[in-house]
Amino acid sequence: MISQSLLFNSFLQTPFSPRQRSLQGWIFILGFILLSLTCYFAGAAGMLRLIYPATALIVAIFLYLRHPILYIGFTWWMWFLTPLVARLIDYKVGWDATRQILISPYLVVFVTIATFLRHFPQASRQGGLPFILAFIGVFYSFLVGLIYNSPVPVARGLLDWLSPIIFAFHLFTNWRDYPTYRQNLQRTFLFCVLVTGAYGIYQFVVAPEWDRYWLIQSKLFTSSGNPVPFGMRVWSTLHSVGPFGAVMQTGLLLLFTASGPLIFPASAVGYVSFLLAQARTNWGGWLLGVIIIMGSVKAKIQMRLIAIVVIMALCVIPLTTIEPISEVISARLESFANLDKDTSFKDRSGSYDRNLGLALSNVLGNGLGNIWKVNEKTGQIEVFVIDSGILDMFFTLGWFGASFYLGGLILILFSVMQYDEARFDSFVSAARAIGISSCAQLIIGSGMLSVSGMILWGFLAMAMSAHKYYQHEKITGNRL
């Protein structure tokens, strides 16, 4: 009898043309979609909380093994759409406080741990030292977390911190396929901006019942608005305003590097929904990204980008003058002039005043699974969610872990800022701008986690991948 391992190896080695492999991949993806729809409308929506993550993982493993490009796109779309799926299920069968279905994107990403383990021994020699350093910092905090915290939160924290690193390492390791990966990311985020932007406008105008139900149950009225038409801050298909702002910021910057008939409709709905999200941090990140792109490309590309910005502005500005859209956007823009009276700004400033000294004195860290603060009345350390990536790092990783993690991040930033490929490849310029602007936002948000972390680490990795690709092309004589 043929062993299971031999059957598995035989399956992997079966020769298929690229078109056949692509067709197989799409069959698996469509099967996953149809199974989810069938369960939802056939009265088994509650079971989807288990079926959805399990089948997503199966599809991810198949795509990772048989069609790596489709795997990348599937991974991003899992981040984009799973929160909406969770809200639809909650609306149909009742609120799930555990939010267990939201683990699905993490499971899909964690397939790339195979890449990390396979290439880990020679990674430092191939330029992957930043990822190794960050991995060491997170793994150290994982061990500390096992000592101080409960296993389930520790495991959840490991997924949050480690997923962006291993996914970025996977992108970097496949630098030989950089042109294909670049095209895939451009196409993925183009359709992301189009779909999530259109849904974001629909969400603001209509306030769908499933979104209202989620907002009422989560009680996030301060950060997400009121559950009524024209009263919500847009978060579209994502989990909340912050992740949506990060995704839309990234997508809109990438549109500068893409081409095709969908660019302008995607930009129109994308910028309007981006403004309706009222995510000032991401507005600033987008502006910083534009400045970085403009300052790093050739004059010819600069003129083309300026023309695109002007045309997009002509498309978007008339839409923002429509009431009550204009009222919402104007009020949020005016808040920049009164930051000293802004509640959000006061909360963040107060958080730094109260916790900076405590965070910087935390040598060993509290480990994955918990973030802490001192209760001013009792003097005891208590669990809470802190809205700062820098404080989060030192509270969770401690000086020891944060030194490795920040060391890896700084090493990447220092490297990508030296690359001259951005002069002729606008995608490299955009990827670098996205990574740098995401790092700048760590001051006021934990942008190294979840989908924001995927963006931060992933696009810095793509810039590194491009550099290796072009260096190899020069050595082999394929590029002048």
Side-chain angles (χ1 to χ4, degrees), residues 280 332 335-336 338-353 387 444:
R280 293 176 303 186
R332 196 61 171 171
S335 68
F336 281 107
N338 300 293
L339 287 177
D340 56 327
K341 300 179 181 179
D342 184 75
T343 303
S344 177
F345 180 78
K346 287 182 178 179
D347 290 342
R348 286 193 170 99
S349 299
S351 177
Y352 266 96
D353 292 340
D387 200 9
I444 50 178

Side-chain angles (χ1 to χ4, degrees), residues 386-443:
I386 192 165
D387 200 9
S388 165
I390 303 300
L391 295 180
D392 197 345
M393 285 183 200
F394 284 96
F395 272 125
T396 304
L397 307 181
W399 267 102
F400 185 83
S403 297
F404 282 95
Y405 189 91
L406 280 174
L409 197 55
I410 292 171
L411 191 56
I412 289 183
L413 288 172
F414 181 78
S415 298
V416 301
M417 284 166 41
Q418 311 301 315
Y419 298 161
D420 60 359
E421 288 83 5
R423 301 291 296 172
F424 57 83
D425 187 339
S426 59
F427 179 87
V428 176
S429 179
R432 182 168 63 183
I434 291 166
I436 294 174
S437 61
S438 296
C439 286
Q441 293 171 61
L442 291 178
I443 299 173

Side-chain angles (χ1 to χ4, degrees), residues 322-365:
I322 302 172
E323 291 291 349
I325 293 177
S326 62
E327 181 180 351
V328 171
I329 296 173
S330 298
R332 196 61 171 171
L333 289 173
E334 289 172 1
S335 68
F336 281 107
N338 300 293
L339 287 177
D340 56 327
K341 300 179 181 179
D342 184 75
T343 303
S344 177
F345 180 78
K346 287 182 178 179
D347 290 342
R348 286 193 170 99
S349 299
S351 177
Y352 266 96
D353 292 340
R354 293 188 301 271
N355 298 300
L356 182 60
L358 180 64
L360 295 180
S361 64
N362 196 339
V363 178
L364 297 179

Side-chain angles (χ1 to χ4, degrees), residues 53-373:
T55 52
L57 178 60
I58 293 171
V59 173
I61 293 173
F62 176 82
L63 294 177
Y64 174 84
L65 296 172
R66 302 297 298 166
H67 203 292
I69 302 300
L70 277 182
Y71 166 75
I72 299 299
F74 179 72
T75 300
W76 284 111
W77 280 106
M78 287 295 296
W79 284 106
F80 301 154
L81 299 180
T82 296
L84 176 60
V85 174
R87 296 200 295 271
L88 289 169
I89 294 173
D90 285 346
Y91 177 70
K92 194 174 184 69
V93 300
W95 178 252
D96 176 22
T98 65
R99 316 304 292 152
Q100 60 184 359
I101 194 174
L102 296 181
I103 200 175
S104 304
Y106 295 98
L107 295 178
V108 171
V109 171
F110 228 73
V111 173
T112 57
I113 194 68
T115 303
F116 189 85
L117 295 176
R118 186 167 65 249
H119 294 277
F120 180 81
Q122 66 270 21
S124 61
R125 297 194 303 272
Q126 297 177 353
L129 180 60
F131 305 103
I132 295 176
L133 292 175
F135 176 87
I136 292 172
V138 173
F139 188 71
Y140 160 79
S141 187
F142 169 71
L143 296 178
V144 174
L146 289 177
I147 297 172
Y148 291 115
N149 307 318
S150 301
V152 174
V154 170
R156 180 65 176 80
L158 182 66
L159 291 175
D160 239 347
W161 283 85
L162 196 57
S163 295
I165 298 170
I166 60 174
F167 183 76
F169 183 80
H170 176 75
L171 295 176
F172 169 72
T173 303
N174 289 279
W175 59 268
R176 290 179 178 82
D177 296 316
Y178 163 72
T180 309
Y181 278 67
R182 174 185 60 191
Q183 183 182 34
N184 176 267
L185 280 170
Q186 288 174 320
R187 182 170 59 247
T188 298
F189 275 86
L190 167 63
F191 282 99
C192 168
V193 171
L194 183 62
V195 172
T196 61
Y199 183 84
I201 296 173
Y202 170 76
Q203 182 183 63
F204 178 75
V205 174
V206 177
E209 294 179 358
W210 45 88
D211 290 335
R212 280 187 282 162
Y213 179 78
W214 174 84
L215 184 52
I216 292 169
Q217 293 296 323
S218 65
K219 298 180 175 63
L220 296 176
F221 305 114
T222 302
S223 61
S224 300
N226 299 315
V228 295
F230 305 107
M232 292 181 177
R233 289 178 63 185
V234 166
W235 66 89
S236 189
T237 63
L238 277 294
H239 179 58
S240 58
V241 172
F244 173 67
V247 168
M248 192 57 67
Q249 171 191 327
T250 302
L252 292 174
L253 289 174
L254 278 184
L255 287 185
F256 290 130
T257 73
S259 59
L262 294 178
I263 296 296
F264 293 110
S267 298
V269 296
Y271 278 105
V272 171
S273 62
F274 188 46
L275 291 171
L276 290 174
Q278 305 173 53
R280 293 176 303 186
T281 300
N282 299 109
W283 292 353
W286 175 86
L287 181 60
L288 176 61
V290 171
I291 293 172
I292 293 172
I293 293 174
M294 291 294 186
S296 62
V297 296
K298 292 181 178 179
K300 182 178 180 181
I301 300 178
Q302 283 180 341
M303 294 304 297
R304 183 173 68 86
L305 294 179
I306 292 172
I308 292 173
V309 170
V310 172
I311 295 174
M312 288 180 178
L314 293 175
C315 294
V316 173
I317 289 176
L319 297 176
T320 60
T321 60
I322 302 172
E323 291 291 349
I325 293 177
S326 62
E327 181 180 351
V328 171
I329 296 173
S330 298
R332 196 61 171 171
L333 289 173
E334 289 172 1
S335 68
F336 281 107
N338 300 293
L339 287 177
D340 56 327
K341 300 179 181 179
D342 184 75
T343 303
S344 177
F345 180 78
K346 287 182 178 179
D347 290 342
R348 286 193 170 99
S349 299
S351 177
Y352 266 96
D353 292 340
R354 293 188 301 271
N355 298 300
L356 182 60
L358 180 64
L360 295 180
S361 64
N362 196 339
V363 178
L364 297 179
N366 298 308
L368 299 182
N370 273 315
I371 303 172
W372 308 83
K373 73 173 180 179

